[in-house]
Amino acid sequence: MEFSVAASAFAEHLEKVRRLSTATVRAYRSDLRDLGVVVGDAQLDEVDLETLRGWLWRATQRGDARSTLARRAAAARSFFSWAQEQELIDVDPSLRLIAPRRGRTLPTVASQEAMKGLLDAQRAATESGDPIAMRDHGMLEMLYGSGIRVSELCGLDVDDLDLDRATARVLGKGSKERVVPFGAPARLALGAYLTRSRPALLARSSTTTSALFLSTRGARIGSRAVYTLVAEVLSPFVGAETVGPHALRHTAATHLLDGGADLRAVQEILGHASLGTTQIYTHVSAERLTATYRLAHPRA
């Protein structure tokens, strides 16, 4: 079997059998497509360890980040392991493939004071009754108040909200459903949006939709619009030019832990499959604690 045919079959397996998210499957396709440039029209069993090493070396010379190299090596190992299980190859050439270790980079996190200032400013902007301002306030409160992903936010329907209990039912990675709580400020912002803003936005469209958050044309909002909003309002508070909705997720998790939340509970709220993924936030909290100590303690 040709490499390209096997790579397409593997991507279909990830999507339909393992039920990975669209973004994850897209990343695998991208990595294997990059490998395909090196492999060309070769048969799958013609790809050996030296070919894979040459592929990673090519990426190194191109200036790819260590995290990208590590991800691509992992994608190759997953692919060839699957191919061997499917008896498409006799020997897995990726078993001895080594990629540079990822450098540990801590996520961007805003302080509690910064988040209060940001959200207070957004709430003040809603006093004019502008439906877009009210929608934006609701989205920002929801992202920070619940720690959900941008894809989960955009996928919310009106019926997924329970304002009385201050919870939302979200569909996460791998089509796994979970219920997440949110706070009183988010409940107030969402209530105002549903009664005063969403009907005005929905009236701009000729069709109806169950989507919770709507675009300026009355359709389900897309992730790009949310990215643009967060980058515009959050960047000045964290001092970073490139910042997106995930920074609010990082911030929510860190503030939960700073407030004494149990790590397992934070894992459930965020929808992490592995506790190890959640533990990165303990490093963030520790660094913030150390910085505070050094500034405040007389013998620091």
Side-chain angles (χ1 to χ4, degrees), residues 66-267:
R66 286 191 300 171
S67 58
T68 300
L69 296 174
R71 190 198 70 217
R72 288 193 164 160
R77 285 192 291 267
S78 296
F79 168 64
F80 284 104
S81 175
W82 167 84
Q84 188 176 39
E85 289 176 1
Q86 300 298 311
E87 299 183 350
L88 300 178
I89 55 176
D90 296 325
V91 178
D92 182 349
S94 68
L95 288 176
R96 293 166 54 203
L97 183 65
I98 299 175
R101 290 187 176 183
R102 294 172 183 261
R104 196 190 82 180
T105 56
L106 297 180
T108 299
V109 173
S111 67
Q112 294 185 35
E113 294 75 15
M115 288 307 306
K116 183 180 185 304
L118 185 157
L119 294 171
D120 284 349
Q122 291 297 310
R123 184 177 64 252
T126 67
E127 294 177 358
S128 65
D130 178 26
I132 299 299
M134 299 182 75
R135 180 205 66 188
D136 292 350
H137 182 219
M139 291 195 302
L140 291 167
E141 286 281 9
M142 191 63 186
L143 285 169
Y144 174 58
S146 65
I148 60 176
R149 303 175 177 93
V150 63
S151 59
E152 295 168 346
L153 178 88
C154 296
L156 283 174
D157 290 336
V158 174
D159 291 342
D160 292 328
L161 280 188
D162 187 336
L163 289 181
D164 292 333
R165 297 182 179 179
T167 59
R169 184 176 66 250
V170 301
L171 194 64
K173 289 186 175 182
S175 298
K176 294 179 180 178
E177 189 177 277
R178 71 185 190 280
V179 174
V180 297
F182 51 83
R187 178 167 57 180
L188 290 173
L190 290 169
Y193 164 72
L194 285 170
T195 56
R196 298 167 54 196
S197 172
R198 188 178 181 278
L201 294 176
L202 188 60
R204 301 179 182 183
S205 174
S206 58
T207 60
T208 59
T209 176
S210 60
L212 174 60
F213 292 110
L214 305 180
S215 68
T216 54
R217 297 184 178 182
R220 184 182 296 275
I221 198 163
S223 59
R224 182 172 297 181
V226 183
Y227 267 91
T228 301
L229 167 66
V230 174
E232 179 181 339
V233 301
L234 186 59
S235 293
F237 287 92
V238 297
E241 294 182 3
T242 56
V243 63
H246 224 65
L248 292 179
R249 179 171 163 86
H250 296 322
T251 299
T254 302
H255 291 176
L256 280 168
L257 290 171
D258 285 345
D262 177 74
L263 190 61
R264 288 282 183 186
V266 176
Q267 177 191 4

